[in-house]
């Protein structure tokens, strides 16, 4: 194994002793408790993945608090979610992020001069959840609700490096192999066919920039699974668009010394797949456009790069060549490992992403403004007890639906053996 000097620490899994890690982490949490944060749509409750996640979380003695930040369309849906998560033995908060109580709390914040109601989607859910989780925990692990390969090793591996004080880690990011099973094939299109060639092309165009080396150091920069300390959670601006993962890495780059950042191997990983989208305002195309804006903006902020439309045109040309080179490498990998590989569809995807380089890049040059939710430290300067208010709102909302005579039939979890 080549332990080369890199910008971040990579934690390899050489068939690690999970029982030892679990015992050690459980011991460490007696003085430094942990939380797991799961942003979720109500529709996730109707799929088997979230039920399996709950089944595994029930066995995680090293997790003291679970925070679910839920988007639900009705009181009935929220009530079903509260019942669904009632099986968890941990202290559990189900935040109805678009419900009337939370909305009123954010309206009060807006009246004091800070408007967070304009932010929607996963970014706001993560922001709300981090606020509540940081009241309870020293370290917080975040992951999505659609992971079909989930087991207790995921939160265990994410949280452990943050609690072992001599490691000095404050942010830990997951990496993994994205392999589909039916048929066996390569997934992770945005990482493989957009982010990797984009970073290579930008390095070729702009030279060896520290920020680009930093992003290149992550083996799966778009993974939605990470853990961070509660103080970092309060200091970090959360991207309010589809570029959340890259945007968050950019924030960590600004806020932490590289030696306090790590990535860890979760093995083989599978979750639901996004559609490519019909325009650059939907699906994976929207994600790529937001990622591009985040990367270009951080280059300007941290590397003093002044970008013009000429840069964008050159980047488009370099991106096409780089993406085709990557596609050829993936073809070889797939062939050697007997994986299904549609070379034509890979090329079609590259052509779609290439258009985003031009359109999204020119849009950034014209209007480089960001879509970032202010850090919690700013919100607390406006309303010092905001986190406590949000936690109390979750408690009151849950108590209210438990007391109502609603015909609640929660979606049935699929239990693992």
């Amino acid at each position: 194994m080549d332990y080369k000097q890199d910008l971040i620490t990579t934690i390899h899994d050489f068939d690690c002793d999970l029982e030892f890690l679990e015992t050690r982490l459980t011991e460490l949490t007696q003085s430094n408790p942990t939380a797991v944060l799961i942003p979720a749509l109500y529709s996730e409750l109707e799929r088997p993945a979230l039920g399996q996640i709950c089944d595994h979380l029930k066995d995680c003695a090293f997790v003291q608090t679970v925070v679910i930040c839920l988007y639900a369309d009705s009181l009935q849906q929220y009530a079903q979610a509260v019942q669904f998560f009632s099986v968890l033995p941990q202290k559990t908060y189900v935040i109805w992020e678009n419900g009337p109580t939370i909305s009123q709390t954010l309206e009060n914040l807006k009246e004091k001069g800070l408007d967070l109601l304009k932010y929607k989607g996963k970014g706001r859910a993560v922001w709300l959840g981090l606020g509540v989780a940081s009241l309870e925990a020293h370290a917080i692990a975040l992951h999505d609700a659609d992971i079909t390969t989930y087991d207790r090793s995921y939160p265990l591996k994410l949280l452990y490096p943050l609690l072992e004080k001599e490691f000095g880690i404050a942010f830990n990011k997951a990496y993994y192999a994205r392999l589909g099973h039916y048929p066996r094939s390569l997934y992770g299109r945005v990482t493989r066919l957009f982010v990797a060639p984009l970073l290579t092309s930008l390095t070729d165009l702009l030279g060896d920039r520290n920020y680009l080396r930093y992003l290149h150091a992550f083996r799966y920069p778009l993974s939605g699974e990470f853990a961070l300390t509660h103080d970092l959670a309060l200091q970090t601006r959360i991207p309010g668009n589809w570029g959340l993962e890259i945007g968050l890495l950019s924030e960590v780059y600004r806020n932490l010394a590289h030696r306090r950042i790590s990535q860890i191997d979760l093995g083989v990983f599978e979750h639901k797949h996004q559609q490519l989208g019909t325009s650059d305002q939907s699906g994976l195309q929207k994600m790529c456009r937001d990622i591009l804006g985040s990367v270009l903006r951080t280059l300007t902020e941290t590397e003093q790069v002044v970008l013009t439309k000429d840069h964008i045109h050159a980047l488009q040309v370099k991106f096409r060549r780089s993406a085709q080179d990557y596609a050829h490498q993936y073809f070889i990998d797939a062939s050697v490992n007997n994986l299904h590989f549609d070379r034509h569809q890979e090329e079609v995807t590259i052509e779609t992403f290439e258009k985003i380089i031009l359109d999204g890049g020119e849009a950034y040059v014209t209007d480089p403004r960001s879509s970032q939710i202010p850090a919690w430290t700013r919100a607390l300067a406006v309303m010092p007890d905001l986190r406590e208010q949000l936690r109390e709102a979750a408690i009151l909302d849950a108590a209210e639906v438990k007391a109502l005579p609603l015909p609640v039939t929660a979606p049935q979890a699929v239990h693992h053996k």
Side-chain angles (χ1 to χ4, degrees), residues 196-269:
L198 172 64
L199 296 179
T200 298
S201 302
L202 283 169
T203 300
D204 191 29
L205 182 66
L206 302 174
D208 186 22
R209 303 285 178 161
N210 202 43
Y211 171 63
L212 295 176
R213 286 185 58 232
Y214 163 80
L215 290 182
H216 258 307
F218 289 94
R219 299 189 176 191
Y220 204 94
L222 296 189
S223 69
E225 296 70 38
F226 60 88
L228 72 173
T229 58
H230 72 288
D231 53 343
L232 180 59
L234 296 179
Q235 297 166 11
T236 300
R237 295 178 298 175
I238 301 297
N241 56 27
W242 284 33
L244 188 145
E245 287 78 17
I246 286 289
L248 184 63
L249 287 183
S250 300
E251 280 295 293
V252 171
Y253 175 78
R254 296 182 184 96
N255 292 334
L256 279 183
H258 296 154
R259 67 179 180 276
R260 303 197 66 201
I261 304 169
S262 67
Q263 60 181 336
I264 193 164
D265 184 5
L266 295 189
V268 176
F269 183 95

Side-chain angles (χ1 to χ4, degrees), residues 126 220 325:
V126 170
Y220 204 94
D325 291 343

Side-chain angles (χ1 to χ4, degrees), residues 44 47 50 126 128 136 146 162 166 211 222 230 235 239-240 255 259 300 333 360 362 374 412:
E44 304 289 355
R47 302 188 181 103
L50 192 51
V126 170
L128 290 169
E136 308 278 346
D146 60 352
L162 273 63
E166 61 184 326
Y211 171 63
L222 296 189
H230 72 288
Q235 297 166 11
N255 292 334
R259 67 179 180 276
T300 300
D333 285 344
E362 289 189 342
Q412 295 300 306

Side-chain angles (χ1 to χ4, degrees), residues 69-311:
C69 207
L70 180 79
Y71 190 96
D73 291 330
S74 67
L75 184 65
Q76 174 73 19
Q77 288 186 353
Y78 176 71
Q80 291 176 344
V82 170
Q83 181 177 334
F84 185 91
F85 293 108
S86 65
V87 299
L88 294 174
Q90 292 92 348
K91 185 185 299 183
T92 302
Y93 301 104
V94 183
I95 303 171
W96 187 6
E97 65 150 303
N98 60 318
T101 312
I102 297 294
S103 296
Q104 183 57 59
T105 303
L106 295 181
E107 185 65 45
N108 296 340
L109 183 65
K110 180 180 178 180
E111 292 175 359
K112 292 179 179 292
L114 185 58
D115 182 11
L116 299 184
L117 290 169
K118 62 183 178 181
Y119 300 102
K120 308 293 182 182
K122 184 178 177 181
R124 192 175 82 172
V126 170
W127 189 89
L128 290 169
L130 287 176
V132 173
S134 62
L135 283 170
E136 308 278 346
H138 170 78
I140 305 159
L142 183 145
H143 60 70
D144 291 330
D146 60 352
I147 307 170
T148 59
T149 52
Y150 190 90
D151 63 49
R152 76 182 194 282
S153 71
Y154 285 16
L156 174 62
K157 289 181 178 181
L158 288 170
L159 289 165
Y160 172 67
L162 273 63
L163 267 70
E164 199 69 84
K165 294 300 183 184
E166 61 184 326
F167 291 177
I169 301 296
F171 180 83
N172 188 28
K173 174 90 163 171
Y175 71 91
Y176 35 66
R178 287 295 312 281
L179 296 176
H181 298 294
Y182 305 106
R184 278 176 49 82
S185 53
L186 293 172
Y187 283 111
R189 289 167 291 173
V190 176
T191 295
R192 293 191 299 106
L193 300 177
F194 186 76
V195 173
L198 172 64
L199 296 179
T200 298
S201 302
L202 283 169
T203 300
D204 191 29
L205 182 66
L206 302 174
D208 186 22
R209 303 285 178 161
N210 202 43
Y211 171 63
L212 295 176
R213 286 185 58 232
Y214 163 80
L215 290 182
H216 258 307
F218 289 94
R219 299 189 176 191
Y220 204 94
L222 296 189
S223 69
E225 296 70 38
F226 60 88
L228 72 173
T229 58
H230 72 288
D231 53 343
L232 180 59
L234 296 179
Q235 297 166 11
T236 300
R237 295 178 298 175
I238 301 297
N241 56 27
W242 284 33
L244 188 145
E245 287 78 17
I246 286 289
L248 184 63
L249 287 183
S250 300
E251 280 295 293
V252 171
Y253 175 78
R254 296 182 184 96
N255 292 334
L256 279 183
H258 296 154
R259 67 179 180 276
R260 303 197 66 201
I261 304 169
S262 67
Q263 60 181 336
I264 193 164
D265 184 5
L266 295 189
V268 176
F269 183 95
E270 184 60 287
H271 65 178
K272 76 173 188 285
H273 305 286
Q274 297 277 2
Q275 297 299 313
L276 189 59
T278 56
S279 74
D280 64 0
Q281 295 301 314
S282 65
L284 296 182
Q285 294 186 59
K286 170 64 172 171
M287 181 183 297
C288 290
R289 186 182 177 109
D290 289 345
I291 288 170
L292 176 63
S294 179
V295 171
L296 297 182
R297 186 175 302 106
T298 307
L299 278 169
T300 300
E301 291 175 349
T302 65
E303 303 287 346
Q304 293 76 52
V305 171
V306 179
L307 294 165
T308 67
K309 288 188 177 181
D310 287 341
H311 286 107

